[in-house]
Amino acid sequence: MTPRTGTRQRRFATPPSRVRPWRPLGLPSHRASTATLAAAYPFLVPPALQTGVPVGLDALGGGVFCFDPWALYAAGELTNPNVLLAGVVGSGKSALAKSLALRSVAAGRRVYVPGDPKGEWAPVARAVGGVVVELGPGSPTRLNPLDAADSPEAHGQRLRRLATVAATTLHRDLRPAEHSALDAALTAAEHASRPTIGGVVAALVRPDATAARRDGVTVADRSHDGTDLAHGLRRLLSGDLAGMFDAPTTDPLDHAASMVVLDLSRLGADDDALAVAMTCAAGWLDAALGTARTPRWVIYDEAWRLLRQVAVVRSMQAQWKLSRALGVANLLILHRLSDLDAVGAAGSEARALAEGLLADCSTRIVYRQESDQLTATARALGLSGPERDLLPALPRGTGLWKLPRRTHVVHHLLAGPDEIRLIDTDTAMREEE
Ligand SMILES: Nc1ncnc2c1ncn2[C@@H]1O[C@H](COP(=O)(O)OP(=O)(O)O)[C@@H](O)[C@H]1O
Ligand SMILES: [Mg+2]
């Protein structure tokens, strides 16, 4: 192979709806800069992965690199189907996620995006006949985070979701007495046929005397224990998050939808509001999906905006543990691995949770990293020297794919004009200008 420089864009010859093996795609040979190849030579090159949807060119092994976390998990190549994707702004993370989504839908998988803060996923969902749920100021859509299937577990599920939402709005963990107050308020709200957050807040403010006595506290103490919770949850009734989660769900989820995107772009730049909204939305989605066992991606784009909240990380991790049995592969998109450190100080429970989340992603894809991130990234992912040195030089769309037993450098290829139109966020920005 003669190394040649050049950045000419290469495309698959087939649309994403027709997933085919490598030869009929008629891909041109790989081209890379001499610097990239020189850095690449020290690798021990494993054969390209050929199961799953095509992703792009295996820059070292040659051939088309395919990926299917479910098949690789079943084959023992992965210890879990979850994927972490980290890279600087504009390195092509969302483009890769969108291609994986489009191609996975074509291969019969489903895709859920439980929060799209930039509103860039709606066209992708529409292109595959999926559902876009717009939430936020001006949208009539309501999602009730207290939705739950009629089952003995419903109360427990609602309580865990409410506790996460309350802890997120309060920026702290709940005290045991607060937890009891929340439990009692939820029980009171559940007397309604469709419990809502409004019912819970009302019961926090005016606690049920019988329940308080049964728990060995006075009504005045119970009311005191619920004060902060009521303030926190009121944000969903009359604060900046009003009109989204405070009424029965308006549009029940179409279970057959190949793709569901919750568009949160109307919420603006407030990370805190986004974290609360995503906690509610993810809870609603969980309940709406129930125990359906269709393999599905759950994609958290711009996830770094969520990870500053310990309660969110904790509930995400708990959800991931449960979701494996349901065939869910989570895709967590960050800028850098140190986004995980932002959750808390070294040695804290928060940091341990963040490290657990990383451990729960047995596929790690690293796109271009700033030079000040190299040491930390290499340490966290166990990268070799040459792998580490490659990171600041990776061109847009090219990433280091680190699986437990293999490493690949993959250049993601966009599949034809349709996919490019859906994925090109630069074009969207140019059109806005
Ligand atoms: N593999 C690729 N080939 C060609 N263009 C790409 C590729 N990946 C990304 N791009 C383009 O780069 C721009 C930024 O990509 P994007 O995925 O939005 O970056 P990020 O999510 O990392 O900030 C988009 O306009 C997209 O079309
Ligand atoms: Mg992006």
Side-chain angles (χ1 to χ4, degrees), residues 90 93-95 118 120 301-302 333 425:
K93 304 180 296 298
S94 298
K118 290 168 134 186
E120 58 180 302
D301 204 347
E302 306 274 314
I333 305 181
T425 48

Side-chain angles (χ1 to χ4, degrees), residues 125-199:
R126 292 198 180 101
V128 294
V131 176
V132 179
V133 181
E134 279 183 44
L135 282 174
S139 166
T141 305
R142 302 284 181 276
L143 298 185
N144 185 2
L146 299 185
D147 281 351
D150 232 349
S151 78
E153 290 89 48
H155 178 79
Q157 289 167 354
R158 288 187 182 122
L159 186 59
R160 274 191 296 280
R161 235 173 282 151
L162 262 183
T164 304
V165 174
T168 311
T169 56
L170 295 175
H171 294 275
R172 63 168 175 81
D173 286 337
L174 305 188
R175 291 182 283 108
E178 287 180 320
H179 211 270
S180 304
L182 194 61
D183 193 349
L186 174 62
T187 306
E190 281 172 337
H191 291 139
S193 60
R194 287 191 292 183
T196 58
I197 300 250

Side-chain angles (χ1 to χ4, degrees), residues 100-345:
L100 281 173
L102 286 165
R103 297 169 194 179
S104 298
V105 166
R109 312 299 196 191
R110 299 208 174 142
V111 177
Y112 298 97
V113 182
D116 170 20
K118 290 168 134 186
E120 58 180 302
W121 280 83
V124 182
R126 292 198 180 101
V128 294
V131 176
V132 179
V133 181
E134 279 183 44
L135 282 174
S139 166
T141 305
R142 302 284 181 276
L143 298 185
N144 185 2
L146 299 185
D147 281 351
D150 232 349
S151 78
E153 290 89 48
H155 178 79
Q157 289 167 354
R158 288 187 182 122
L159 186 59
R160 274 191 296 280
R161 235 173 282 151
L162 262 183
T164 304
V165 174
T168 311
T169 56
L170 295 175
H171 294 275
R172 63 168 175 81
D173 286 337
L174 305 188
R175 291 182 283 108
E178 287 180 320
H179 211 270
S180 304
L182 194 61
D183 193 349
L186 174 62
T187 306
E190 281 172 337
H191 291 139
S193 60
R194 287 191 292 183
T196 58
I197 300 250
V200 174
V201 171
L204 283 167
V205 175
R206 270 182 298 283
D208 181 73
T210 318
R213 261 198 308 280
R214 203 174 42 233
D215 291 348
V217 293
T218 63
V219 173
D221 281 346
R222 171 86 0 127
S223 170
H224 176 75
D225 292 337
T227 307
D228 283 359
L229 297 173
H231 281 301
L233 292 176
R234 223 180 249 126
R235 186 169 173 195
L236 300 164
L237 305 181
S238 54
D240 55 335
L241 294 170
M244 297 163 70
F245 303 108
D246 52 358
T249 299
T250 44
D251 309 298
L253 185 67
D254 173 6
H255 284 262
S258 53
M259 189 160 174
V260 178
V261 169
L262 298 183
D263 182 340
L264 299 176
S265 57
R266 293 171 186 230
L267 281 185
D270 183 349
D271 288 351
D272 195 32
L274 182 76
V276 178
M278 272 198 64
T279 306
C280 290
W284 169 80
L285 192 61
D286 249 13
L289 293 174
T291 51
R293 284 170 198 273
T294 326
R296 56 188 183 244
W297 282 107
V298 176
I299 299 177
Y300 299 88
D301 204 347
E302 306 274 314
W304 55 276
R305 289 181 61 181
L306 302 173
L307 296 179
R308 295 180 198 147
Q309 299 265 16
V310 183
V312 173
V313 179
R314 193 184 293 128
S315 87
M316 215 178 222
Q317 208 179 21
Q319 213 171 312
W320 285 25
K321 297 255 180 275
L322 295 175
S323 64
R324 198 166 311 163
L326 302 176
V328 172
N330 295 285
L331 171 56
L332 192 69
I333 305 181
L334 309 173
H335 287 153
R336 49 191 166 255
L337 287 163
S338 58
D339 287 339
L340 287 170
D341 298 347
V343 183

